[in-house]
Amino acid sequence: MLAIELSPDMEEMMESVSRETGKSMKELVREALDRFLEEWEDRHDAIVAERVQVAYLKSPGSFATMDDVLEEAGLSRDDLR
């Protein structure tokens, strides 16, 4: 369980949104955290992808192709469909 303390202004806004939407403050906080975490994950994924791209551009021969990975796993592209 997590307990958070809101500033009086934030609590007042949350209560107002809660009344207008018919959602509990708990639901609103969960939705806000879900959105925050999804956005954080998207930013994190973009950073990782950029790092991989830079590494690939520096040394493309050190990366396996998709076909190589599939072959090593005993799969083909048709198995992915």
Side-chain angles (χ1 to χ4, degrees), residues 30-65:
R30 280 190 178 150
E31 287 177 9
L33 285 172
D34 280 344
R35 277 194 303 276
F36 168 80
L37 292 172
E38 285 175 9
E39 289 173 10
W40 182 90
E41 185 176 27
D42 289 346
R43 284 192 307 272
H44 181 265
D45 290 347
I47 290 167
V48 170
E50 184 177 348
R51 288 179 183 163
V52 169
Q53 181 183 24
V54 168
Y56 174 78
L57 292 173
K58 286 182 179 178
S59 180
S62 65
F63 284 77
T65 66

Side-chain angles (χ1 to χ4, degrees), residues 11-28:
E11 187 170 356
E12 186 177 315
M13 287 183 74
M14 291 289 293
E15 288 171 350
S16 175
V17 172
S18 177
R19 282 191 300 276
E20 287 185 32
T21 62
K23 295 180 179 181
S24 70
M25 288 179 58
K26 187 176 184 177
E27 287 175 291
L28 294 173

